[in-house]
Amino acid sequence: MTVNRTRKLNMKNRLYTIKETKEWTQLSDSSIRRHIKSGEFPHVKIGSRIMIPGWFLDELLNTTASDAAA
């Protein structure tokens, strides 16, 4: 149980590349970029890299999992 909490805490405090976001969400690069452009996905730009906050991915994945279970 502690490992899962630690994993969630680490996830929330990280920034993820589009490639990493793709692995977590199973969305395509173009879908992720479209969501970013439309303002649906929060992001920060560090140099030329677009980064997605882990807290958002955590919320997105938990919401999706809850919807699938219902």
Side-chain angles (χ1 to χ4, degrees):
M1 188 94 165
T2 305
V3 173
N4 192 19
R5 283 184 171 169
T6 303
R7 183 174 174 220
K8 286 182 97 172
L9 179 63
N10 290 339
M11 180 181 184
K12 288 182 181 183
N13 292 324
R14 276 196 61 201
L15 292 172
Y16 290 85
T17 63
I18 289 179
K19 181 179 178 181
E20 291 170 320
T21 301
K22 179 180 174 179
E23 292 171 9
W24 279 96
T25 62
Q26 301 299 306
L27 295 172
S28 67
D29 288 0
S30 59
S31 291
I32 293 167
R33 290 178 190 280
R34 189 172 45 252
H35 287 300
I36 289 169
K37 189 174 181 179
S38 71
E40 295 176 70
F41 281 20
H43 68 284
V44 293
K45 196 164 184 182
I46 301 174
S48 62
R49 296 176 74 183
I50 297 171
M51 307 294 285
I52 312 294
W55 61 263
F56 174 74
L57 291 178
D58 183 56
E59 287 179 13
L60 180 68
L61 296 172
N62 285 330
T63 301
T64 305
S66 297
D67 291 345

